[in-house]
Amino acid sequence: MTDTPLTDTPLTETVDTVKGPPLAPDARSPRGVLWRRARELALVPALLLLLLLGALVNDSFLTERNLISVLGASAALAMVVLAESLVLITGKFDLSLESVVGIAPAVGALLVLPVAQAGFGTEWPAALALLAVLATGAALGAFNGVLVVKFKLNAFIVTLAMLIVLRGLLVGATEGKTLFGLPESFYTLATSTFLGIPMSVWVAAGAFGAAGLLLKYHRWGRALYAIGGNAEAARAAGIRVERVMLGVFVVAGVLAALGGLMQTGYVGAINANQGQNMIFTVFAAAVIGGISLDGGRGTMFGALTGVLLLGVVQNLLTLAQVPSFWIQAIYGGIILVALMIARVTTGRAQD
């Protein structure tokens, strides 16, 4: 008895067929790769240019105190950008991360505070409350993942609905009040320092470094790119697409909850608006850092430089006394420019 092939089509041709239309030739060429690399590295001289501009605008801009302030203020944003970048690489969205930044630390705070301070009255130990913060982020990420991955619902609509639901739950649970008097451990990441730099900055840097190594060298990281490039081709290659994507949503929820703790420590309290409108800045940082909205492309180095660029821009505009509402308009303009650059450098139309 002789073995017969499962298909007459060669494996390479089958994979190409599953993948669908090929990329534009210029995107596959060495010149196209060079353009994409240049897009990420272009933020480095842009950062240097902004630093020079800041020094000319305000004498205090390049002081050690101000630069550390920029890093400390950007730490929470960096964690949420990291979370969103991982989801985007798989070709999905999670708009609810900004609400997780608010609701996750609020749950921990309500569990630890007495009724007299607007808490639930359970008065949990601080260590358990902090675990509850991370567990809340993981649970919300898992819930989003189940709806998107298992029930095949549209990720954009699901996470938009969750953003609104969680925002309402935060306002309702806190009754619109600001939560003060939290244990010192809730502020540790922002208030404690190492070598003069807040621990939140070290944690964010470590998280980006670990994610970058995983994406480059670990099979789980390579699976994210494969799924974002073409989920069906990834499934045909033996990747457990659903399991990986569900894991990404859970990890994203935990990272956003950790970012919420950093934000809590930086502000010194939790209010009902914590994280509100943060998602716009998150997408701005990810997109200008080279994370593709189509999935399958982007690096943690690019995303990190996007965070730093926006942090410097915001600090520079603040020192220049530019009204805050113009900052959002500028971020929107940055996203549009980044999308146009992405269209040119990848040679692909954006759906």
Side-chain angles (χ1 to χ4, degrees):
M1 182 175 179
T2 60
D3 294 332
T4 57
L6 295 176
T7 176
D8 295 331
T9 306
L11 179 58
T12 54
E13 184 178 343
T14 301
V15 172
D16 288 339
T17 302
V18 173
K19 285 184 178 180
L23 295 176
D26 57 331
R28 284 182 168 182
S29 67
R31 183 179 179 183
V33 174
L34 182 62
W35 267 104
R36 293 196 299 273
R37 296 298 183 191
R39 182 187 169 200
E40 295 173 1
L41 297 177
L43 293 184
V44 176
L47 271 172
L48 296 176
L49 181 61
L50 282 173
L51 291 175
L52 177 60
L53 180 61
L56 296 175
V57 171
N58 193 299
D59 293 337
S60 64
F61 179 79
L62 284 182
T63 60
E64 179 181 355
R65 180 178 179 180
N66 185 64
L67 293 179
I68 291 177
S69 176
V70 171
L71 293 176
S74 301
L77 173 65
M79 297 303 293
V80 186
V81 170
L82 172 57
E84 190 67 61
S85 296
L86 294 176
V87 177
L88 287 174
I89 287 174
T90 66
K92 299 297 183 181
F93 294 85
D94 191 346
L95 303 178
S96 68
L97 291 178
E98 74 163 35
S99 291
V100 176
V101 169
I103 191 70
V107 168
L110 292 170
L111 288 171
V112 79
L113 290 175
V115 175
Q117 293 179 266
F120 291 150
T122 52
E123 299 187 41
W124 281 21
L128 285 180
L130 290 175
L131 288 177
V133 172
L134 301 181
T136 299
L140 293 174
F143 184 74
N144 285 336
V146 168
L147 293 180
V148 173
V149 178
K150 298 297 183 181
F151 288 89
K152 308 297 181 183
L153 301 181
N154 183 277
F156 184 90
I157 302 301
V158 165
T159 57
L160 176 61
M162 282 297 294
L163 180 155
I164 298 170
V165 169
L166 295 177
R167 180 63 56 193
L169 288 176
L170 176 58
V171 175
T174 61
E175 298 180 353
K177 300 176 182 177
T178 299
L179 303 178
F180 295 100
L182 302 175
E184 285 299 320
S185 54
F186 274 73
Y187 309 133
T188 299
L189 286 175
T191 57
S192 60
T193 61
F194 177 68
L195 299 179
I197 299 175
M199 286 303 301
S200 59
V201 176
W202 292 108
V203 171
F208 267 89
L213 291 174
L214 283 173
L215 288 173
K216 189 171 184 180
Y217 298 109
H218 197 271
R219 61 183 181 181
W220 185 81
R222 294 193 294 270
L224 298 190
Y225 287 112
I227 293 170
N230 191 308
E232 292 303 320
R235 187 175 288 106
I239 296 174
R240 297 181 177 180
V241 174
E242 286 77 13
R243 178 178 296 183
V244 172
M245 291 181 63
L246 183 59
V248 168
F249 275 98
V250 172
V251 170
V254 173
L255 291 173
L258 189 56
L261 273 178
M262 293 179 179
Q263 185 71 13
T264 298
Y266 183 77
V267 175
I270 300 175
N271 61 63
N273 294 322
Q274 180 159 304
Q276 189 168 2
N277 296 328
M278 190 182 198
I279 199 66
F280 301 115
T281 309
V282 168
F283 270 92
V287 170
I288 67 174
I291 303 296
S292 173
L293 296 179
D294 296 325
R297 291 189 301 279
T299 66
M300 293 301 99
F301 176 79
L304 181 58
T305 53
V307 172
L308 294 176
L309 184 71
L310 290 187
V312 171
V313 167
Q314 182 170 13
N315 183 261
L316 181 59
L317 294 176
T318 301
L319 291 176
Q321 298 182 346
V322 175
S324 60
F325 49 81
W326 285 112
I327 295 177
Q328 293 297 324
I330 292 171
Y331 283 171
I334 289 174
I335 293 177
L336 291 176
V337 172
L339 288 174
M340 289 186 285
I341 293 175
R343 177 66 179 89
V344 173
T345 56
T346 62
R348 293 182 62 182
Q350 297 166 341
D351 297 328

